[in-house]
Amino acid sequence: DAKTTQPPSMDCAEGRAANLPCNHSTISGNEYVYWYRQIHSQGPQYIIHGLKNNETNEMASLIITEDRKSSTLILPHATLRDTAVYYCIVRGPNTDKLIFGTGTRLQVFP
Amino acid sequence: DAGVTQSPTHLIKTRGQQVTLRCSPKSGHDTVSWYQQALGQGPQFIFQYYEEEERQRGNFPDRFSGHQFPNYSSELNVNALLLGDSALYLCASSSINREYRGEQYFGPGTRLTVT
């Protein structure tokens, strides 16, 4: 599985868009990019995933570069409840194992 | 619809003892994965069960074993506990359906403290 690199921490003002970057330069053509988040004292929560195309759901948008070596998770209107550790994960097609790094700690402030 | 449930929520054990943690998957899910999360770290994959068999295993010793029951619930057993086994143990359920692989739903975890 490809390794991911994320900044350790980021801040965002409430109501603004939060853009969380992730580098996965060694990703293979059939590996998916997943994003999870973990709010303090809770289990991780699935957010979104993609292969090649940009994806959007009710929680967030995922932008994957054309060469697939990096991606950005976008929370369009961050709220205080979005304060959490965000994990970017690359998963191969034949495994269910999720390899978590240390993630990005996003702090949303009023 | 209940999500993933785990029991107990907290547990304190002594070195050398054995512990069993339990997990009930989200309704409709048939696959259960277990993760260990040390303080300040991301979760680490222990193993996954499907159809009552271990499908994948992470880099954990044989002291860590598991079981899945016909109703898809699962147990994690740890023998000969070490101080380093103190962690949050997370259970995640998912569907073997290829379309949804990777979408895992996590329980709140069991906090294990080994003294």
Side-chain angles (χ1 to χ4, degrees):
Chain A
D1 297 315
K3 181 178 172 57
T4 61
T5 303
Q6 300 177 252
S9 64
M10 294 182 65
D11 290 336
C12 179
E14 190 176 21
R16 303 297 295 270
N19 297 279
L20 292 91
C22 178
N23 284 319
H24 31 79
S25 58
T26 61
I27 193 169
S28 299
N30 57 0
E31 289 181 315
Y32 295 81
V33 178
Y34 281 77
W35 283 84
Y36 279 75
R37 72 180 182 184
Q38 188 170 23
I39 296 170
H40 184 61
S41 298
Q42 298 182 20
Q45 176 190 23
Y46 166 81
I47 302 173
I48 198 168
H49 77 277
L51 181 61
K52 297 179 181 178
N53 300 321
N54 298 337
E55 302 288 344
T56 295
N57 63 19
E58 65 279 3
M59 288 183 67
S61 294
L62 173 60
I63 308 298
I64 302 175
T65 58
E66 193 169 341
D67 63 8
R68 303 212 323 124
K69 293 185 177 181
S70 65
S71 61
T72 301
L73 178 73
I74 301 173
L75 308 178
H77 304 287
T79 72
L80 298 178
R81 289 192 299 271
D82 292 322
T83 292
V85 177
Y86 287 77
Y87 296 99
C88 170
I89 298 166
V90 170
R91 181 187 75 84
N94 298 316
T95 178
D96 298 301
K97 178 172 64 174
L98 298 177
I99 300 176
F100 290 81
T102 51
T104 294
R105 185 173 298 278
L106 175 68
Q107 180 69 53
V108 181
F109 57 90
Chain B
D1 173 31
V4 179
T5 60
Q6 293 187 243
S7 64
T9 54
H10 294 85
L11 203 52
I12 299 175
K13 290 287 189 178
T14 304
R15 274 181 300 176
Q17 285 188 318
Q18 178 265 344
V19 68
T20 297
L21 310 181
R22 296 177 176 80
C23 170
S24 291
K26 179 179 168 64
S27 177
H29 284 178
D30 52 18
T31 304
V32 173
S33 302
W34 287 92
Y35 292 80
Q36 179 195 66
Q37 186 172 26
L39 206 59
Q41 303 295 318
Q44 300 298 307
F45 177 80
I46 302 175
F47 44 51
Q48 182 186 76
Y49 277 83
Y50 170 67
E51 290 190 336
E52 302 179 49
E53 291 191 359
E54 185 181 291
R55 290 186 70 236
Q56 274 191 286
R57 190 178 183 92
N59 189 26
F60 279 80
D62 292 345
R63 297 187 297 110
F64 290 77
S65 63
H67 188 77
Q68 186 180 35
F69 299 94
N71 66 353
Y72 307 120
S73 67
S74 176
E75 288 181 349
L76 164 66
N77 300 293
V78 187
N79 295 321
L81 285 168
L82 304 174
L83 295 179
D85 295 332
S86 295
L88 180 68
Y89 288 85
L90 295 159
C91 169
S93 73
S94 56
S95 170
I96 201 66
N97 185 315
R98 182 167 294 276
E99 182 179 358
Y100 299 106
R101 291 177 77 178
E103 291 183 38
Q104 298 187 6
Y105 290 79
F106 285 78
T110 294
R111 172 72 62 187
L112 172 65
T113 301
V114 181
T115 62

